[in-house]
Amino acid sequence: MNFISRDSVALSDLAALDCGQPYAARLMLSVADAVTRAISLCQPVTASEDLDLLSAAGRVVAADIRSPCALPRFDHSAMDGFAVRTADFSGSGPWTFQIAHKVAAGDDPSGLNIESARAAEIFTGAMIPVGFDAVIIREKCSRHDCQFTTAYRPRPGENVRKAGEDVDHDTLLFKAGTVLTPHRSALLAAAGLSRISVVRKIRLGFITTGSELKEPGEQLGAGQIYNSNRYLLASMLSHPWLEVRDLGATPDAIEATTDIIHSAAMDHDIVVTSGGMSKGGEDHVRDALTRCGGSLRVLDVAMRPGKPVSFGTLGSALFIGLPGNPMAAAVTLDKIALPAIRAVAGIEHRGPVWMMAISDFALRKKEGRTEFVPVRVQGRDATGTPVLTMLGRGSSGSLSPMSHADGLAILPPELTTLERGMRLRFEPFSVS
């Protein structure tokens, strides 16, 4: 099997596909093209606000940030030991030095006048006294009262962290569109930055559709089910840079669906619906969007699960219509919708993180569509490559496989038969 690392069948290339490929597949967008087109519909929010650094955690940087200083700010010791001048190590050892001073982190040694052939006891993080160019760690020395002896000749710069070796003054720390992770916040703090300009929170409203839906804890009638997608969306959309509003559930009725979508678009940057995206008699979301004056630009993606996922615009709002089946909703939200949602926040699209894996299951699929299969890592082969087993039977309405999976195996459009031992792409879920 020749492994393809990303979907590559563009809409303009469909005519070149094998004539034996199903006609419906030739008319559908590839997953990669769907992502590109969805992102192209986005209007990044430019409004910003200034926050203190602690409050800005997880938010999106609104403007490039440059360092106001060098890091480290001064030469300092990387270890506990003794600051020395390497020029004092003449001849052959061992050498004995008088300990003239002690320098701890936070001390200012700039006023010290330490004569040649003398040393300073120094601790991790302490500023290196002027004229000294190395630190010998304690373990290489034998101390006796106010002097120590060593047979080790240090190299210039040994155990010294030089000023600016991490970050130079005026270095670009982060570009606009960067999400402030804990490590990035720590770097900004080290540079002395206490307030940051961040993009205002993106206002996203989501709607679940279906006359059969009830909330957990309510009494179910015949043919009714609990609204699991409400909790799926609320959890998957939980990001510090998003202001997520649950707009409730609506029955399968064209008037009610039209009203709630129109109202949502007035107050939100993004409107997300789940359910009602197919072409059945009780699927009203596409028609409702048209009634509101909106338009759909991404329809029918060559993927399983999730073919009905759709993207469009309604006024200035981005519209995202997810399938109603839970697994299909989860996959399309993760693979196509979230890249578009990030684009509204100005976050650069980097594509999914994946690794090679080995299949321990066999599967047949239709040519021309990308399939996303819930899998669990059951071990590793002799080279350390993950070995994957399939969960569930591929139903887009199943919740159990996704809830127990370690991630998704991605089967490319040209593949029709997967056999045990084949290599494939594995996208692990984020571990919280």
Side-chain angles (χ1 to χ4, degrees):
M1 168 183 173
N2 293 322
F3 180 82
I4 294 181
S5 64
R6 61 181 293 133
D7 303 295
S8 57
V9 184
L11 189 64
S12 60
D13 298 330
L14 288 174
L17 292 176
D18 188 342
C19 294
Q21 186 177 342
Y23 178 73
R26 297 201 303 270
L27 296 180
M28 290 189 287
L29 283 173
S30 72
V31 174
D33 283 339
V35 172
T36 299
R37 292 195 182 194
I39 290 175
S40 73
L41 298 176
C42 299
Q43 299 180 27
V45 169
T46 57
S48 63
E49 57 182 331
D50 288 347
L51 296 178
D52 66 82
L53 187 54
L54 282 176
S55 300
R59 299 290 294 273
V60 179
V61 172
D64 293 354
I65 302 176
R66 308 193 77 87
S67 180
C69 63
L71 292 175
R73 292 173 179 266
F74 49 82
D75 294 358
H76 66 272
S77 178
M79 304 287 286
D80 288 352
F82 300 95
V84 295
R85 302 178 180 90
T86 54
D88 289 338
F89 288 76
S90 58
S92 59
W95 298 272
T96 298
F97 294 87
Q98 293 293 319
I99 302 172
H101 292 280
K102 179 188 295 185
V103 185
D107 290 348
D108 179 5
S110 58
L112 298 181
N113 183 15
I114 304 175
E115 300 173 5
S116 181
R118 291 177 178 264
E121 184 176 12
I122 197 164
F123 298 92
T124 303
M127 182 183 290
I128 302 292
V130 175
F132 288 77
D133 62 351
V135 172
I136 302 178
I137 63 174
R138 290 181 181 277
E139 291 79 359
K140 296 184 182 295
C141 303
S142 176
R143 179 171 181 167
H144 305 282
D145 296 328
C146 293
Q147 64 181 26
F148 71 90
T149 300
T150 183
Y152 179 77
R153 186 195 301 270
R155 304 181 306 277
E158 187 167 345
N159 296 315
V160 175
R161 294 178 180 143
K162 302 293 289 183
E165 71 176 26
D166 187 12
V167 173
D168 282 333
H169 174 258
D170 203 39
T171 293
L172 177 63
L173 297 179
F174 304 116
K175 297 190 299 182
T178 301
V179 177
L180 284 181
T181 63
H183 301 96
R184 291 165 181 164
S185 294
L187 178 59
L188 296 179
L193 296 169
S194 61
R195 293 191 67 81
I196 304 298
S197 177
V198 298
V199 177
R200 72 150 170 82
K201 287 192 175 188
I202 307 306
R203 294 187 288 267
L204 182 150
F206 73 87
I207 304 159
T208 48
T209 71
S211 298
E212 75 279 15
L213 300 179
K214 287 286 188 179
E215 286 303 306
E218 294 181 346
Q219 185 68 36
L220 288 178
Q224 294 183 322
I225 61 172
Y226 292 121
N227 187 359
S228 60
N229 278 1
R230 177 188 182 192
Y231 300 88
L232 173 74
L233 296 180
S235 180
M236 289 186 69
L237 293 170
S238 180
H239 296 280
W241 47 271
L242 274 176
E243 181 182 333
V244 179
R245 300 170 183 171
D246 179 0
L247 303 180
T250 186
D252 293 318
I254 185 63
E255 295 297 340
T257 305
T258 302
D259 288 345
I260 195 170
I261 290 176
H262 180 267
S263 176
M266 301 292 289
D267 300 321
H268 299 87
D269 304 302
I270 303 170
V271 177
V272 179
T273 64
S274 73
M277 290 307 302
S278 296
K279 300 173 184 177
E282 294 299 324
D283 296 318
H284 300 298
V285 173
R286 294 185 180 188
D287 289 340
L289 185 70
T290 302
R291 282 193 176 196
C292 294
S295 62
L296 288 172
R297 308 290 181 84
V298 177
L299 289 163
D300 297 334
V301 181
M303 64 187 296
R304 183 176 187 269
K307 173 181 170 290
V309 64
S310 302
F311 293 78
T313 56
L314 180 53
S316 61
L318 174 69
F319 172 81
I320 301 173
L322 303 177
N325 283 319
M327 182 175 164
V331 170
T332 52
L333 177 56
D334 183 58
K335 302 305 173 191
I336 306 178
L338 277 173
I341 293 168
R342 293 188 185 101
V344 175
I347 302 171
E348 181 181 0
H349 177 57
R350 297 182 179 274
V353 176
W354 58 273
M355 64 182 70
M356 284 288 194
I358 304 294
S359 171
D360 194 40
F361 61 95
L363 185 70
R364 291 186 179 277
K365 63 177 281 294
K366 292 182 179 179
E367 184 179 4
R369 67 183 183 186
T370 301
E371 289 205 12
F372 299 86
V373 180
V375 290
R376 176 178 288 170
V377 178
Q378 67 172 20
R380 294 180 181 271
D381 69 4
T383 67
T385 304
V387 178
L388 307 178
T389 184
M390 178 179 173
L391 299 180
R393 299 181 179 179
S395 169
S396 61
S398 299
L399 282 166
S400 179
M402 292 287 281
S403 68
H404 294 289
D406 295 318
L408 296 171
I410 316 301
L411 310 184
E414 71 278 8
L415 178 71
T416 58
T417 302
L418 177 71
E419 298 176 355
R420 283 184 170 84
M422 279 187 171
R423 293 165 68 82
L424 73 172
R425 190 172 87 179
F426 171 51
E427 295 180 6
F429 293 146
S430 298
V431 179
S432 58

